Amino acid sequence: MAFFGLFGKAKTIEDYVNKLPSGGMTVRALRTLDFIAPGEWENINNFDTLIKKVTRESDPVFVADVKKQALKLWSDKKEGYQKALDIYQRVDASDKILGLAALADKAGDKINLLSFLDKITPEADTSQSIDFAVKVLSELLAFIKVNGLPGDGVVDFVKALNEYGKDSQMRMAALIAFDGLIPLGPDFLNKASDSVKKLGPSSLEQNSLFSRVKGFIPEGQGGAGMIQKAFGPVASWMENFAASKNLTRESTLHGLSQFIDGTDSKLDYLGAFIDVTTKYFEHTGTQSVASRLIERAGNEA
Amino acid sequence: MISTCALALLISMAGLLSGCKEPTPRDQQVEGKAFNPFFPASQDGYSVIFTSEKKGYSQANIKKGDVEVATMAVSDLIDDAEAVRKFEGATDSILSFPVISRGENGTAVLIANRFQIVLRSTSEEFSAEDRRKWISSLDLASIAALK
């Protein structure tokens, strides 16, 4: 239903890309992670511009051909691009987001975290750890929808993480920084691994994020089993990725302190604040789905 | 029966169910996996990494060291007569298969009037000549024999 507007007209990937914000909390938070690959992530929110960027072409006839093919692939539900975007949107779906994000946006150039403390409820470490693991699962599910399931899905997923475009790398960096390092600390991967090992069907079912994405798990694959299979290899990749990009709690806090005051304490509140005021999964997910769709269209047009 | 199908069609139009459909040309597309054995292996400092595999489509990245220099894709155009028509009047060929340019950075070849192979440079380093060379290194005859 998310893909239908007020009068039932299906929204296209072009609509979703063109509606991405140029500023606001999500973009400001993502920009603080620019240091992982300076200048490489561009916040492109125009579909035609994205076509030119991805294909490295400017010939209007070719660009039009690519666009036509991209929209054709998008409209075919069997291709999975719509489902992938749905997954990214569901990860960030929350009743709390809009109100607080609007308040944060009105706070001026610099936001004082302390003035929001009474509006935020940090999650317990266990619950935060499960959320982190379910976000990894969601990324895997979206990957399968966009790229198919070649060979062993999990192994290829981990290999493909190294081939990820800049928008996807930015999402992974944000996941590590905002959902791992800040709320859980430098040993976030160990904490998440411990939670994953103990994960049973009942603890998963109680997780609201899991309930939103479980419908996308392929038949015959239990949610807990799929997370347990995927988490180890993904955690190793994340550890190497964070180390190679100097992605630490300190570097993340340094970035966020450029626009949020009070980041030196109450880190659990800071994590919760970013969680409820940003939609970084949906934002970069839209850019990723569109980029992969355009890449394929460029190969088929 | 007719009314059941009509009802299913209505529901299908609402995006809730798909059924009561004739097989489409798209259903006849080969699985992307079928193309993979005919991609060239990693060679001469270049590595070939599969990145996408869907019905009628397979894609790999070509990397030199850690840097992606090109993408290589095979697609089944059995449902896309318009895409096949663009090869009409091609003046270039590889092993008698028609070859055309796609933009500044792409080279496409049509195999057996059905399978399209496209090499796209993603780095200045990878020239049009490189694209031709890599297209020739796919097993074109085996791709032509796919059903």
Side-chain angles (χ1 to χ4, degrees):
Chain A
M1 288 303 287
F3 297 105
F4 291 89
L6 188 59
F7 301 106
K9 184 177 178 296
K11 285 174 83 172
T12 69
I13 188 66
E14 181 179 21
D15 298 328
Y16 286 108
V17 171
N18 291 351
K19 280 189 180 160
L20 289 175
S22 300
M25 275 297 292
T26 301
V27 175
R28 291 179 89 182
L30 287 170
R31 286 203 196 286
T32 67
L33 297 173
D34 181 68
F35 68 86
I36 66 152
E40 289 192 15
W41 176 70
E42 290 179 69
N43 181 37
I44 297 177
N45 54 4
N46 178 285
F47 195 63
D48 289 351
T49 307
L50 193 59
I51 292 175
K52 290 173 189 166
K53 169 88 179 167
V54 171
T55 62
R56 301 171 69 244
E57 302 285 355
S58 55
D59 172 34
V61 176
F62 183 73
V63 168
D65 280 354
V66 173
K67 185 172 180 175
K68 188 177 165 193
Q69 179 67 10
L71 294 178
K72 182 179 155 192
L73 288 166
W74 167 263
S75 67
D76 185 345
K77 287 189 180 147
K78 284 185 189 165
E79 289 293 349
Y81 298 104
Q82 293 190 22
K83 283 185 179 160
L85 182 59
D86 197 0
I87 292 168
Y88 286 128
Q89 290 172 336
R90 282 164 188 260
V91 169
D92 282 333
S94 165
D95 297 340
K96 300 173 288 182
I97 289 174
L98 288 174
L100 207 59
L103 273 178
D105 261 353
K106 281 182 190 161
D109 281 349
K110 213 154 186 193
I111 295 161
N112 187 350
L113 180 65
L114 301 178
S115 64
F116 288 93
L117 293 187
D118 61 334
K119 299 177 183 68
I120 313 166
T121 311
E123 283 189 87
D125 268 15
T126 314
S127 168
Q128 177 66 37
S129 296
I130 295 175
D131 267 8
F132 182 87
V134 176
K135 286 186 181 181
V136 170
L137 171 71
S138 303
E139 182 68 20
L140 170 59
L141 295 174
F143 171 85
I144 291 169
K145 295 298 174 198
V146 171
N147 300 298
L149 190 55
D152 181 329
V154 172
V155 171
D156 280 305
F157 170 60
V158 175
K159 273 191 204 164
L161 287 172
N162 295 318
E163 302 303 308
Y164 259 9
K166 298 306 166 198
D167 31 49
S168 300
Q169 278 199 17
M170 188 53 106
R171 184 170 55 261
M172 290 296 96
L175 177 59
I176 292 169
F178 304 148
D179 284 281
L181 288 166
I182 292 207
L184 296 170
D187 60 343
F188 70 100
L189 286 171
N190 287 334
K191 285 184 180 171
S193 286
D194 284 347
S195 295
V196 164
K197 279 176 199 153
K198 293 175 197 152
L199 210 54
S202 62
S203 51
L204 256 187
E205 289 298 332
Q206 286 165 16
N207 181 281
S208 64
L209 173 54
F210 180 74
S211 68
R212 295 198 295 271
V213 298
K214 69 180 178 184
F216 296 94
I217 295 171
E219 271 180 45
Q221 302 253 12
M226 201 170 175
I227 293 177
Q228 280 157 347
K229 193 176 174 193
F231 197 80
V234 173
S236 301
W237 178 87
M238 283 183 165
E239 199 169 7
N240 292 332
F241 179 78
S244 69
K245 306 288 185 189
N246 187 32
L247 190 54
T248 62
R249 199 180 217 184
E250 289 69 33
S251 61
T252 303
L253 288 173
H254 176 73
L256 288 173
S257 68
Q258 292 163 23
F259 80 103
I260 302 176
D261 273 335
T263 56
D264 46 354
S265 61
K266 308 268 185 199
L267 293 186
D268 48 348
Y269 279 86
L270 177 62
F273 178 70
I274 292 173
D275 184 44
V276 297
T277 56
T278 68
K279 290 188 168 190
Y280 77 81
F281 243 81
E282 178 178 343
H283 190 102
T284 59
T286 304
Q287 291 170 329
S288 296
V289 171
S291 296
R292 298 290 74 76
L293 189 54
I294 289 167
E295 187 176 68
R296 178 171 169 192
N299 286 329
E300 290 190 335
Chain B
M1 184 63 196
I2 292 171
S3 60
T4 310
C5 253
L7 180 62
L9 181 65
L10 276 174
I11 297 171
S12 164
M13 287 167 71
L16 299 173
L17 183 78
S18 60
C20 295
K21 282 182 181 172
E22 291 294 318
T24 63
R26 190 184 179 286
D27 296 328
Q28 297 164 35
Q29 284 183 322
V30 300
E31 296 295 333
K33 198 178 288 299
F35 297 131
N36 295 353
F38 310 130
F39 276 67
S42 299
Q43 54 189 281
D44 301 333
Y46 291 91
S47 48
V48 175
I49 298 149
F50 288 99
T51 53
S52 184
E53 184 188 299
K54 307 189 91 171
K55 193 164 180 66
Y57 184 76
S58 183
Q59 182 187 320
N61 287 352
I62 302 174
K63 289 174 83 173
K64 189 176 185 183
D66 287 336
V67 181
E68 182 196 305
V69 291
T71 60
M72 175 167 49
V74 185
S75 46
D76 186 347
L77 303 183
I78 194 166
D79 65 338
D80 196 346
E82 192 182 342
V84 170
R85 272 198 299 277
K86 68 179 184 281
F87 287 90
E88 286 173 4
T91 53
D92 191 9
S93 66
I94 293 175
L95 296 177
S96 80
F97 298 117
V99 172
I100 57 173
S101 293
R102 294 302 284 154
E104 293 274 310
N105 301 299
T107 304
V109 59
L110 183 66
I111 309 294
N113 222 30
R114 173 173 169 182
F115 301 108
Q116 175 175 243
I117 299 167
V118 173
L119 263 283
R120 296 198 60 79
S121 302
T122 53
S123 155
E124 300 292 334
E125 271 186 42
F126 205 83
S127 67
E129 207 42 49
D130 290 326
R131 296 198 293 268
R132 283 187 71 91
K133 191 178 126 197
W134 276 81
I135 286 175
S136 303
S137 69
L138 276 99
D139 185 348
L140 304 183
S142 294
I143 293 173
L146 285 170
K147 300 282 182 212

